[in-house]
């Protein structure tokens, strides 16, 4: 089928549903990441989209916004296409998180003002509580798409439309206070899907396998919409399934003959670190042709480790595909030529800091960067001096500017910010360009991304704004002086880590010098983990007035980072996540490592809980990357910086070691080492009544989910939907 004349993805889906292959599986969803399959054919998806569109047409007008609140799954895909079929603007968003507050969701609702909320029956039953938290939702109509009358599909009428009409709002990941809705048109989608198809060499033979969140631009446009455009097949799983057990991702590629799959750099690193030799044994990765890597800095060392780890299972390093993109350009902006494989080069670090990309001399401080290819089809890319707006030649570092039919129209309801970001003109009058805020340079025709012009922090593929982190930190403890903190990231062991530098209030100096940093560090780490699901690698408390600021009082984060790296900060106290000697790290671990479920269950009740604490202390220390001796029995694990990935590591370790499942919500709701030991001791003793008393709300919530037909694994994932991955 030719897509050259298609103006909307609606037309593509209608054509695929009508042709001879319309009833073949198009989307397969592995609800547990493994065997629990649900499938949709093109014909199924078309009918569901028409059903939803017909009901939307009865309650709202074309051009209105519809908020999509779904757990990961096929219902989200059907709802998204239902919006396209109705001419309604979709607003994808993660589902609300139990007992966590909804700052980002509130901000998106207030910005987009949806007329309709599309969701499933389970979430619609909670609409009253959500409206109490977000009053702006009071006027919205709620539609549970899994309970609609399917006969309405026959009443659907195509509202028409052209490429310039708005398809959906892609809210940028990052600041919870001011998320911006990128206005993606039907024409933007078509242009970007054409680019991806050409660059990735996609066809009807392609099999895309993915775990990325569907409300994220890479998950939606790359994993869901590209298979529709190219005619291939799509196999998906929940993000939490991958994070719990990275093997599931590679096993799905092996099982379904996946040709195209990828994610942020951390995903490859996680697989290389977490998948052992025995687990690799059954994998066949020889079908994998495009292993794309984007959304955060691509690290050549990670690619090398992954390739070395899985070459024995048929993975070819030539499949690696570093690429560059951003939501403002719909998704994809630059990538290399297949099957050339990834290209990397070492550049002089001092030269890059001065704006010059020159090869690193032997023995010099070097930065190895991966090439991210070149623009495709009608895409244009320029390197521009952000101050003078002069286009720079190859080898000079400047801001990356792009132009093309995939560049969105701007930010929803933000004309001034749209003009600044999307309406840039170069010194020679060329333009308009999109200013990406990323720094890069061209060398041998390839784009190299050198960093961010602004202060955005990227951790494990998620964008975090430093001002949000700083506000959370200063509110966590009275010892921290308001408006006097700096958050930034540094690279350690091939991964970006979060650092917080903060001034102490004058009245707190004596207290911290006398009592130490422990109480402040625990409060800050718990608050950052709770609000932003990030782990503070290093907290540095400094003297009053020593954080670099401009004459107008703005914190100079880059200068603070430079002082931190140079060791010139006026440090009063410091708490690094890895503090503690190797002996401390193994404190209590030797005895704990020999205990398993059987030996623990055989212990007298009086000894069982204490033994469990020793096991859990060892497992928690490894998941958190801190000294076991630092984990007190009565301090919430969140106070040690328990983020999503660490919680999943701990949960998986407990399950593998003890055959017991810790509810994910428990780990994020103030559970201490003692709490977990008590809960697991009750489970080992078979005392379900006592376990319900310990964590009654969570367990009952999971039981309700199971009663509605969810598997136990699905119930755990649903109760902690916070583990979805964000951009």
């Amino acid at each position: 089928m030719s897509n050259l004349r298609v103006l909307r993805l609606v037309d593509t889906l209608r054509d695929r549903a009508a042709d001879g292959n319309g009833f073949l599986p198009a989307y397969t969803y592995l609800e547990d990441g493994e065997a629990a399959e649900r499938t949709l054919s093109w014909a199924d998806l078309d009918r569901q989209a028409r059903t939803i569109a017909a009901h939307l047409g009865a309650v709202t007008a074309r051009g209105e916004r519809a908020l999509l609140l779904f757990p990961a799954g096929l219902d989200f895909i059907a709802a998204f296409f239902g919006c396209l079929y109705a001419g309604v603007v979709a607003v994808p968003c993660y589902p609300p998180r139990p007992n966590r507050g909804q700052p980002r969701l509130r901000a998106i609702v207030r910005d987009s003002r949806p007329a309709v909320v599309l969701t499933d029956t389970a979430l619609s039953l909670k609409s009253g509580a959500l409206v109490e938290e977000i009053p702006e939702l009071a006027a919205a109509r709620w539609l549970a798409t899994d309970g609609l009358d399917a006969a309405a599909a026959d009443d659907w009428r195509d509202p028409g439309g052209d490429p310039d009409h708005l398809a959906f709002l892609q809210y940028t990941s990052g600041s919870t206070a001011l998320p911006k809705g990128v206005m993606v048109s039907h024409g933007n989608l078509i242009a970007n899907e054409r680019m991806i198809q050409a660059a990735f060499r996609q066809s009807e033979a392609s099999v895309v396998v993915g775990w990325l969140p569907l409300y994220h631009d890479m998950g939606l446009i790359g994993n869901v919409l590209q298979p529709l455009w190219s005619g291939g097949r799509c196999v998906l799983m929940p993000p939490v399934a991958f994070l719990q057990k990275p093997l599931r991702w590679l096993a799905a590629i092996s099982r379904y003959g996946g040709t195209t799959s990828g994610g942020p750099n951390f995903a490859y690193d996680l697989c290389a670190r977490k998948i052992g030799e025995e687990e690799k044994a059954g994998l066949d990765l020889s079908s994998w042709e495009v292993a794309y890597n984007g959304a955060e800095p691509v690290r050549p060392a990670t690619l090398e480790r992954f390739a070395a780890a899985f070459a024995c299972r048929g993975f070819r390093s030539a499949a690696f595909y570093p690429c560059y993109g951003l939501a403002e350009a719909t998704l994809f902006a630059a990538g290399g030529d297949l099957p050339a494989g990834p290209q990397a080069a070492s550049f002089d670090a001092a030269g890059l800091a001065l704006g010059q990309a020159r090869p690193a001399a032997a023995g010099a401080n070097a930065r190895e960067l991966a090439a991210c290819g070149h623009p495709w089809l009608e895409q244009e890319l320029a390197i521009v001096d952000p101050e003078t707006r002069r286009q720079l030649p190859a080898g000079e570092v400047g801001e990356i500017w792009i132009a093309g039919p995939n560049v969105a129209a701007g930010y929803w309801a933000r004309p001034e910010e749209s003009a600044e970001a999307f309406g840039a003109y170069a010194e020679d009058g060329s333009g308009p360009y999109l200013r990406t805020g990323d720094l890069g340079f061209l060398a041998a025709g390839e784009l190299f991304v050198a960093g961010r012009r602004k202060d955005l922090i990227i951790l494990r593929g998620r964008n975090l704004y430093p001002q949000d982190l700083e506000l959370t930190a200063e509110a966590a403890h009275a010892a921290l002086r308001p408006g006097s903190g700096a958050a930034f990231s540094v690279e350690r062991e091939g991964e970006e880590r979060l650092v917080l530098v903060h001034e102490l209030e004058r009245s707190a100096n004596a207290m911290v010098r006398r009592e130490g940093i422990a109480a402040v560090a625990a409060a800050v780490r718990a608050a950052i983990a709770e609000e932003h699901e990030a782990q503070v690698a290093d907290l540095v408390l400094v003297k009053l007035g020593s954080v670099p600021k401009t004459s107008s009082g703005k914190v100079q984060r880059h200068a603070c980072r430079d002082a931190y790296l140079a060791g010139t900060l006026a440090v009063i106290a410091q708490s690094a996540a890895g503090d503690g000697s190797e002996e401390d790290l193994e404190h209590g671990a030797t005895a704990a490592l020999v205990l398993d479920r059987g030996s623990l269950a055989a212990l007298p009740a009086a000894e069982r809980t204490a033994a469990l604490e020793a096991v859990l202390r060892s497992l928690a220390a490894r998941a958190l990357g801190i000294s076991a001796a630092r984990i007190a029995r009565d301090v919430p694990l969140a106070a040690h910086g328990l983020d999503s990935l660490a919680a999943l590591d701990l949960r998986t370790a407990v399950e593998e070691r003890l055959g017991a499942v810790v509810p994910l919500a428990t780990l994020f709701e103030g559970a201490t080492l003692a709490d977990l030991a008590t809960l697991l001791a009750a489970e080992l003793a078979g005392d379900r009544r006592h376990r319900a008393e310990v964590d009654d709300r969570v367990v009952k919530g999971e039981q309700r989910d199971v009663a509605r037909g969810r598997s136990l694994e699905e119930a755990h994932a649903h109760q902690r939907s916070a583990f979805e991955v964000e951009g």
Side-chain angles (χ1 to χ4, degrees):
M1 182 183 74
S2 173
N3 286 314
L4 293 179
R5 297 182 181 276
V6 171
L7 302 180
R8 303 170 304 159
L9 286 176
V10 170
D11 306 314
T12 303
L13 179 52
R14 295 288 289 152
D15 288 346
R16 295 209 182 279
D19 73 17
N21 295 322
F23 290 94
L24 294 178
Y27 295 96
T28 297
Y29 200 82
L30 307 177
E31 296 183 331
D32 61 356
E34 297 180 17
E37 288 189 2
R38 287 182 62 200
T39 61
L40 276 179
S41 68
W42 302 123
D44 293 333
L45 180 56
D46 170 66
R47 184 164 188 83
Q48 289 188 26
R50 286 188 285 119
T51 298
I52 294 168
H55 284 277
L56 274 174
V59 298
T60 193
R62 175 178 174 165
E64 291 285 358
R65 275 79 59 210
L67 189 70
L68 273 55
L69 294 181
F70 290 90
L74 299 181
D75 289 344
F76 172 93
I77 297 174
F80 181 82
F81 277 98
C83 290
L84 298 187
Y85 273 49
V88 170
V89 179
V91 183
C93 197
Y94 61 77
R97 302 175 176 184
N99 304 311
R100 294 290 302 279
Q102 319 294 337
R104 179 173 165 78
L105 181 56
R106 285 199 304 270
I108 290 174
V109 168
R110 289 168 182 169
D111 191 67
S112 63
R113 300 283 177 172
V116 180
V117 178
L118 296 180
T119 187
D120 62 10
T121 299
L123 283 175
S124 69
L125 294 174
K126 302 175 183 178
S127 61
L130 195 59
V131 169
E132 286 185 12
E133 288 190 65
I134 309 174
E136 291 83 355
L137 283 175
R141 296 287 299 269
W142 287 68
L143 287 180
T145 60
D146 54 351
L148 298 178
D149 180 8
D154 297 329
D155 299 328
W156 174 75
R157 297 294 180 270
D158 190 342
D162 60 52
D164 292 331
H165 283 167
L166 192 55
F168 77 107
L169 298 180
Q170 177 66 63
Y171 274 85
T172 56
S173 56
S175 175
T176 56
L178 296 172
K180 297 189 287 283
V182 178
M183 298 189 290
V184 181
S185 71
H186 291 275
N188 295 149
L189 282 173
I190 296 297
N192 214 229
E193 297 301 347
R194 288 180 58 231
M195 290 178 187
I196 295 171
Q197 182 181 31
F200 286 21
R201 297 187 175 184
Q202 300 297 280
S203 70
E204 294 184 356
S206 298
V207 179
V208 175
V209 177
W211 54 267
L212 293 161
L214 302 187
Y215 53 78
H216 186 277
D217 53 0
M218 189 184 291
L220 175 59
I221 295 163
N223 288 348
V224 173
L225 302 187
Q226 176 57 209
L228 167 65
W229 179 257
S230 61
R233 186 181 180 185
C234 181
V235 179
L236 301 168
M237 69 179 65
V240 68
F242 161 68
L243 292 174
Q244 285 175 333
K245 192 174 181 180
L247 176 66
R248 289 169 173 157
W249 176 31
L250 304 190
I253 294 171
S254 176
R255 176 182 172 187
Y256 291 94
T259 63
T260 307
S261 192
N265 191 83
F266 88 87
Y268 294 99
D269 181 66
L270 198 62
C271 288
R273 288 190 291 109
K274 296 289 187 180
I275 300 176
E277 293 302 321
E278 291 185 7
E279 291 182 307
K280 294 177 189 176
L283 295 177
D284 177 4
L285 303 180
S286 59
S287 64
W288 202 351
E289 298 172 354
V290 186
Y292 61 83
N293 187 326
E296 67 178 357
V298 180
R299 305 193 183 282
T302 299
L303 306 188
E304 292 172 6
R305 282 196 299 272
F306 185 93
F310 296 100
C312 60
R313 309 318 311 163
F315 181 80
R316 300 178 300 277
S317 61
F320 274 129
Y321 194 86
C323 49
Y324 170 73
L326 64 166
E328 286 84 349
T330 303
L331 174 64
F332 179 76
D337 295 303
L338 291 167
Q343 308 297 315
S346 292
F347 297 91
D348 181 75
L352 288 176
L354 296 173
Q356 297 295 320
R358 52 178 182 256
N365 185 17
R367 283 185 64 194
E368 188 176 23
L369 300 177
C372 290
H374 55 82
W376 284 80
L377 303 184
E378 299 92 350
Q379 178 82 81
E380 298 178 35
L381 187 150
I383 305 298
V384 181
D385 183 314
E387 304 301 330
T388 67
R389 304 197 177 214
R390 177 177 65 89
Q391 292 202 38
L392 301 175
E396 292 192 25
V397 179
E399 187 176 12
I400 302 169
W401 289 17
I402 58 177
N406 57 309
V407 174
Y411 298 120
W412 176 260
R414 296 178 183 273
E416 293 182 3
E417 292 178 65
S418 296
E420 172 64 21
F422 293 84
Y425 285 85
E427 184 185 49
D428 62 7
S430 59
Y433 288 98
L434 166 66
R435 302 185 64 163
T436 68
D438 292 314
L439 297 175
F441 59 92
L442 297 171
E446 297 273 326
L447 171 67
F448 289 83
V449 181
R452 288 287 302 176
R453 181 172 178 243
K454 297 182 180 178
D455 296 321
L456 187 69
I457 296 169
I458 304 177
L459 300 178
R460 292 171 178 167
R462 296 175 58 241
N463 293 346
L464 299 171
Y465 282 81
Q467 57 267 35
D468 292 343
L469 299 166
E470 292 154 7
L471 284 171
T472 298
E474 70 183 42
H477 200 284
L480 302 183
R481 186 187 187 200
S484 299
F488 50 85
S489 63
V490 297
E491 183 178 340
R492 289 182 185 165
E493 300 175 355
E495 186 178 9
E496 291 296 311
R497 305 291 177 87
L498 175 62
V499 176
L500 276 169
V501 175
H502 217 292
E503 292 180 9
L504 277 175
E505 290 282 18
R506 194 182 308 277
S507 59
N509 274 350
M511 180 271 289
V512 171
R513 292 184 189 279
R514 180 179 65 253
E515 301 176 10
I517 193 176
V520 179
V524 169
R525 284 195 165 95
I528 295 294
E530 168 75 15
E531 186 68 26
H532 305 284
E533 293 185 22
Q535 191 174 48
V536 179
D538 202 357
L539 175 65
V540 185
L541 302 184
V542 296
K543 291 181 179 179
L544 188 70
S546 65
V547 168
K549 295 183 179 180
T550 66
S551 57
S552 61
K554 293 182 180 179
V555 172
Q556 293 181 302
R557 299 184 182 93
H558 286 285
C560 192
R561 182 180 184 275
D562 290 343
Y564 169 83
L565 293 173
T568 58
L569 290 171
V571 178
I572 294 174
Q574 187 167 357
S575 171
D579 282 350
S581 66
E582 289 302 314
E583 290 76 21
D584 285 340
L585 188 62
E586 294 302 322
H587 176 75
T590 303
L593 289 174
V594 301
L595 296 172
D596 58 15
R597 184 184 179 96
S599 57
L600 284 165
L603 290 173
E607 298 177 22
R608 188 181 302 124
T609 301
L612 271 167
E613 283 190 21
V615 174
L616 290 168
R617 179 176 282 108
S618 174
L619 298 179
R622 295 186 177 191
L624 289 161
I626 65 174
S627 163
R630 287 179 53 192
I631 303 178
R633 65 185 306 273
D634 55 355
V635 174
L637 291 173
H640 296 293
L642 189 81
D643 64 4
S644 300
L645 199 54
L648 287 164
D649 279 348
L650 176 56
R651 180 182 184 273
T652 301
V654 170
E655 188 170 2
E656 290 176 349
R657 191 62 191 289
L658 303 176
V661 177
V662 177
L664 291 171
T666 302
L667 295 174
F668 269 90
E669 293 178 0
T672 66
L673 203 65
D675 293 335
L676 294 181
T678 301
L679 184 151
L680 293 177
E683 179 167 313
L684 289 173
D687 187 353
R688 299 293 178 179
R689 179 188 59 79
H690 183 63
R691 173 175 174 171
E693 291 174 358
V694 174
D695 203 356
D696 182 70
R697 189 189 60 75
V698 174
V699 173
K700 285 183 177 179
E702 291 173 345
Q703 289 172 345
R704 285 195 299 272
D705 280 353
V706 171
R708 293 185 183 117
R710 297 181 188 267
S711 69
L712 182 59
E713 191 70 15
E714 289 176 80
H716 287 310
H718 183 242
Q719 287 297 316
R720 180 47 60 192
S721 58
F723 289 108
E724 294 280 349
V725 178
E726 286 188 58

